[in-house]
Amino acid sequence: MEEIIFPNQIRLQRKRKGVSMQALADHLGVSLSAISKIEKGYRRLNQEQLISVAELTDCSLQDLYVNEQNSKEEVVQAWRREQERRNRINVDAGLKILGAALRRLRTDRDLTLIEVAENADMTLSVYHRIEMGQREVSDKEFKNIAKALSLDPEVLKKEVQNLNDAGALNEIMEKTDAKYKSLATPKGSHVSMYGVYTGEMPMIKVYGVAGKDGNIFIDFDDEEAKEVVCPFQLMNKRDAYGINLCTRRLGSLLPNRAILFADPQDVVSVGDIALYYTSDNEAMLLSIREDDHGQFYGLRFNPDEKVKISSEDLTKLHKIVSINL
């Protein structure tokens, strides 16, 4: 059975609008089989593709996600079961421990993410997810990673265990906490950003004013920052926040009234939209791409500009996970 990684209501919205699978495939430039996998939740869409689907089916981005308010009960329950399964895998298989140990061993050897990814024969985004504890690792991949670190696979296993036993990974795991959290909530209640069930709709603060050169200035200490209802999929994300779209450097695809929601803990992948922090309070809004060497870079427009992103700068990227139009 394939793993559900992207619970969605694309099929529901497509049929509501009378759009065929082939028409959607042509619109996105993918195969018919890819659309089938996407609608079943076995394959992800990036943010740009999601916006394109929303435009074609004439619905909001929120309507494409599974949520208790407008999803069938069996859809919500299927995703809840999948999340519970993946949480068990995370704990039982020690994905967080493995990811933290790999990061420690890599930095001890003065290796970059790109160097390990290339030597392990995987893309930067895939290896980054492994270090973040958000991806299962096959036996073949584990052997390739061990080789990239100049270790025998059995020695790598022992190194991981020794680091964990010595408590050397705790700080890393705290910073890169990558546990999957359930998107479903009990009926009649809501989940606050801190995981506490309440009877009120949780709110999320929205920051951001126009800065120089099309950047966005963000003052997290602004006590007068406006608040909006927290998007469903962010209700248990304590570090998530909203951003006013006060720049045209991403192009004219999104309206000025749009609010973008960022999650610093989510892994940024190719095709995503992300905030790239150039200082503690200033960020660029970028479309994330990958060159032929697996190196991330960002694109922004008006005027066109390519922004280099080093492997060590990945922690400065905050993924845009939801957009209110």
Side-chain angles (χ1 to χ4, degrees):
M1 180 178 178
E2 292 193 67
E3 179 184 20
I4 299 174
I5 61 173
F6 174 50
N8 66 82
Q9 300 190 118
I10 292 176
R11 182 173 184 270
L12 176 68
Q13 298 300 334
R14 174 179 61 76
K15 296 187 74 173
R16 177 190 60 79
K17 190 64 176 177
V19 177
S20 68
M21 290 181 68
Q22 187 62 60
L24 180 56
D26 293 341
H27 184 71
L28 294 178
V30 300
S31 67
L32 195 60
S33 62
I35 294 298
S36 177
K37 286 181 176 290
I38 289 166
E39 291 188 348
K40 291 176 181 177
Y42 300 154
R43 175 171 167 174
R44 294 183 189 276
L45 286 176
N46 62 45
Q47 196 70 38
E48 291 179 354
Q49 290 172 318
L50 281 170
I51 292 172
S52 184
V53 172
E55 290 176 343
L56 180 65
T57 57
D58 192 25
C59 69
S60 71
L61 284 174
Q62 300 303 315
D63 290 335
L64 297 180
Y65 293 100
V66 169
N67 64 72
E68 194 171 67
Q69 281 68 45
N70 62 1
S71 300
K72 292 183 179 179
E73 178 65 19
E74 58 266 29
V75 175
V76 174
Q77 292 302 323
W79 177 233
R80 175 180 287 177
R81 288 193 297 271
E82 179 62 19
Q83 287 291 77
E84 291 173 349
R85 186 190 75 82
R86 289 163 72 179
N87 282 336
R88 289 195 298 271
I89 289 173
N90 198 319
V91 175
D92 297 341
L95 296 185
K96 285 180 63 182
I97 293 172
L98 174 61
L102 291 177
R103 181 177 178 183
R104 169 67 181 270
L105 293 169
R106 174 179 60 79
T107 55
D108 284 349
R109 288 162 172 74
D110 292 324
L111 295 172
T112 65
L113 281 164
I114 293 176
E115 288 173 330
V116 175
E118 288 181 345
N119 291 331
D121 194 27
M122 57 182 62
T123 65
L124 175 62
S125 58
V126 167
Y127 181 71
H128 186 214
R129 287 178 62 82
I130 291 172
E131 279 203 5
M132 291 291 290
Q134 291 190 340
R135 187 181 184 279
E136 299 171 49
V137 182
S138 68
D139 289 340
K140 181 179 179 181
E141 288 172 333
F142 186 84
K143 291 177 181 178
N144 286 344
I145 292 171
K147 182 180 178 181
L149 295 172
S150 301
L151 292 172
D152 179 84
E154 291 303 317
V155 173
L156 176 55
K157 290 180 183 178
K158 291 179 181 178
E159 289 276 6
V160 172
Q161 186 64 55
N162 291 339
L163 286 170
N164 186 48
D165 290 344
L169 305 177
N170 294 338
E171 184 177 352
I172 297 175
M173 287 191 289
E174 287 176 3
K175 292 181 178 179
T176 58
D177 185 4
K179 284 185 178 179
Y180 288 100
K181 299 179 176 68
S182 174
L183 291 178
T185 62
K187 290 185 179 298
S189 63
H190 303 280
V191 182
S192 76
M193 292 174 64
Y194 297 93
V196 179
Y197 289 99
T198 69
E200 300 179 356
M201 288 296 290
M203 307 296 285
I204 188 170
K205 285 196 172 184
V206 180
Y207 307 95
V209 296
K212 61 181 181 180
D213 299 325
N215 292 354
I216 300 176
F217 181 78
I218 301 163
D219 181 8
F220 290 110
D221 296 323
D222 183 5
E223 296 182 356
E224 297 183 0
K226 70 178 180 181
E227 294 186 339
V228 297
V229 175
C230 182
F232 185 85
Q233 65 268 36
L234 295 178
M235 286 183 180
N236 56 358
K237 302 284 189 177
R238 66 178 63 197
D239 295 322
Y241 58 93
I243 290 292
N244 294 306
L245 183 62
C246 49
T247 177
R248 292 286 86 191
R249 295 304 302 272
L250 196 63
S252 56
L253 179 63
L254 302 175
N256 291 330
R257 66 178 182 276
I259 297 176
L260 288 66
F261 297 94
D263 181 7
Q265 301 303 320
D266 208 335
V267 177
V268 176
S269 302
V270 177
D272 287 335
I273 297 172
L275 288 165
Y276 176 54
Y277 278 81
T278 56
S279 69
D280 290 342
N281 298 102
E282 196 163 9
M284 301 178 181
L285 191 59
L286 303 175
S287 174
I288 305 301
R289 307 297 172 90
E290 187 177 57
D291 63 22
D292 294 337
H293 303 289
Q295 172 69 56
F296 275 6
Y297 66 91
L299 284 181
R300 59 181 189 163
F301 312 95
N302 302 323
D304 291 356
E305 181 182 0
K306 184 175 180 180
V307 180
K308 184 178 179 181
I309 302 172
S310 70
S311 58
E312 302 307 319
D313 285 339
L314 291 176
T315 56
K316 299 178 182 178
L317 291 172
H318 291 187
K319 180 177 176 178
I320 301 301
V321 294
S322 180
I323 300 175
N324 278 0
L325 300 178

